[in-house]
Amino acid sequence: MPVSTETDFTARAVTYRLTADMVRAAVARLTPADSAEPHPNRSWYALVGAHLFYVVDLVEEATGAGDVAVKTARLRLAELGFPVFALAWNSLLTQGHPGHTG
C-alpha cells in the first residue's frame, strides 16, 4: 500500500486531518507502551521511532479527537506508513477481536 502524507477520519460526526508529523509530535506527549508501566488492556500498537504506542491514544493525542475507534486508528496510522500490529494470544489469534476487526 502506498504511504500517504495525510489522511482523514470521522469521530463524533467531526472530520479530523492526521499527518505523520502530527503523529511524531504526539509521541513527545505520550508514555510509550513499552515503558515500565504498560496499560494491561491494549492490543493494537504502532511503532513510532524506537517505541510502541497504543493506536487510539496516539491518534487522539495527535488530533484532539475523542472516541476514535480502534479500527479507524490502526488503519489511518498504517496508511501514513507506521508499522501497526496487534498483541494477540489464544482465540484472538484464530478468531480475531470482533470490536477491532469488524
Side-chain angles (χ1 to χ4, degrees):
M1 166 162 65
V3 175
S4 297
T5 57
E6 71 177 59
T7 186
D8 58 15
F9 66 93
T10 302
R12 291 186 182 171
V14 176
T15 300
Y16 295 89
R17 180 175 148 272
L18 180 66
T19 69
D21 287 341
M22 292 169 70
V23 172
R24 288 186 202 94
V27 301
R29 300 183 297 271
L30 293 171
T31 301
D34 54 327
S35 70
E37 298 180 24
H39 192 288
N41 298 319
R42 308 289 201 206
S43 55
W44 283 96
Y45 298 90
L47 180 64
V48 182
H51 294 285
L52 301 173
F53 296 88
Y54 179 55
V55 296
V56 171
D57 292 347
L58 192 52
V59 170
E60 288 181 349
E61 181 67 32
T63 62
D67 293 332
V68 175
V70 173
K71 182 177 181 181
T72 298
R74 67 181 177 82
L75 292 176
R76 295 305 171 260
L77 289 167
E79 187 177 338
L80 292 172
F82 294 101
V84 175
F85 63 95
L87 176 61
W89 57 92
N90 299 331
S91 63
L92 288 176
L93 289 172
T94 59
Q95 299 170 4
H97 187 297
H100 297 180
T101 58

